[in-house]
Amino acid sequence: MKHRASEACELARLAAKRWRYYRDSRTFATSFEHLNSLIAANPHGEFSFHLKVTADWFSEIMGAAMIRRTWCHHLMIDFLFAHPDISGRLLPIKTVGVQILQSICLLARELGCKRVWGEATQDSAPFYQYHLGKGIEDHFTIEKTQIKGLASQLRIHLKPGLHPMAA
């Protein structure tokens, strides 16, 4: 558990550093509509955005992901994590990570991306292997057919008027 917590802290520091870059370069999106407008203005631009899972009854972020839309119009998962107490199974909460993965696939489907890809750590490889149904080493890809399948499995409950990216 100590290893997971230190890895989570290190990934959080890296994510914060990368986010500052996107913020300072104005290449981040704050909503799905904003992302679409950035893409329309620069079809080969790279743009970053965040997804997060919260609940009124949980005081912290339950999980989050930082995603980048690449110049090839793919989605790249820079970081995806569940709260250490959730991923370490100290709390009886399940499906946070898989719902984030499904949400990324929903966004990829809505944007018309043909691929989602990312890098796996030694700790995250089993998660991706299980949910993607294939062997994972240090990287993985999710192709269009599987993107559609994962996106269709997502069950979300949004507040009225919210888009999945703003939830």
Side-chain angles (χ1 to χ4, degrees):
M1 179 61 188
K2 196 172 204 176
H3 172 71
R4 275 191 184 202
S6 66
E7 183 178 86
C9 289
E10 179 61 23
L11 289 174
R13 281 191 288 278
L14 290 171
K17 181 178 179 181
R18 190 162 291 168
W19 180 249
R20 284 190 296 274
Y21 166 78
Y22 292 122
R23 179 199 62 204
D24 294 347
S25 64
R26 301 253 185 230
T27 55
F28 66 94
T30 56
S31 68
F32 186 72
E33 292 76 17
H34 186 206
L35 179 60
N36 275 324
S37 70
L38 290 170
I39 293 169
N42 184 357
H44 294 289
E46 293 205 5
F47 308 107
S48 183
F49 56 94
H50 282 163
L51 297 175
K52 66 180 178 176
V53 176
T54 61
D56 294 339
W57 48 266
F58 194 77
S59 63
E60 300 178 50
I61 294 173
M62 297 173 76
M66 186 164 70
I67 302 102
R68 178 170 24 110
R69 185 275 191 170
T70 71
W71 66 274
C72 290
H73 197 57
H74 299 151
L75 293 187
M76 192 277 184
I77 301 171
D78 279 318
F79 301 98
L80 187 159
F81 66 90
H83 188 283
D85 289 349
I86 294 171
S87 63
R89 300 192 178 171
L90 298 176
L91 296 172
I93 301 169
K94 297 181 179 180
T95 74
V96 170
V98 72
Q99 287 188 25
I100 294 171
L101 185 62
Q102 291 167 341
S103 296
I104 293 166
C105 288
L106 175 63
L107 290 168
R109 186 188 74 192
E110 295 300 309
L111 290 168
C113 299
K114 65 180 181 181
R115 181 172 298 121
V116 173
W117 61 278
E119 184 178 0
T121 64
Q122 189 174 10
D123 279 346
S124 69
F127 166 83
Y128 292 113
Q129 184 167 320
Y130 179 79
H131 292 291
L132 300 178
K134 59 184 175 184
I136 302 294
E137 291 182 344
D138 59 354
H139 69 282
F140 60 89
T141 59
I142 309 170
E143 302 297 333
K144 199 166 195 166
T145 302
Q146 194 169 26
I147 288 170
K148 289 179 181 180
L150 285 165
S152 69
Q153 294 173 14
L154 182 63
R155 302 287 181 255
I156 55 175
H157 303 283
L158 296 176
K159 297 175 185 174
L162 285 184
H163 189 278
M165 200 159 146

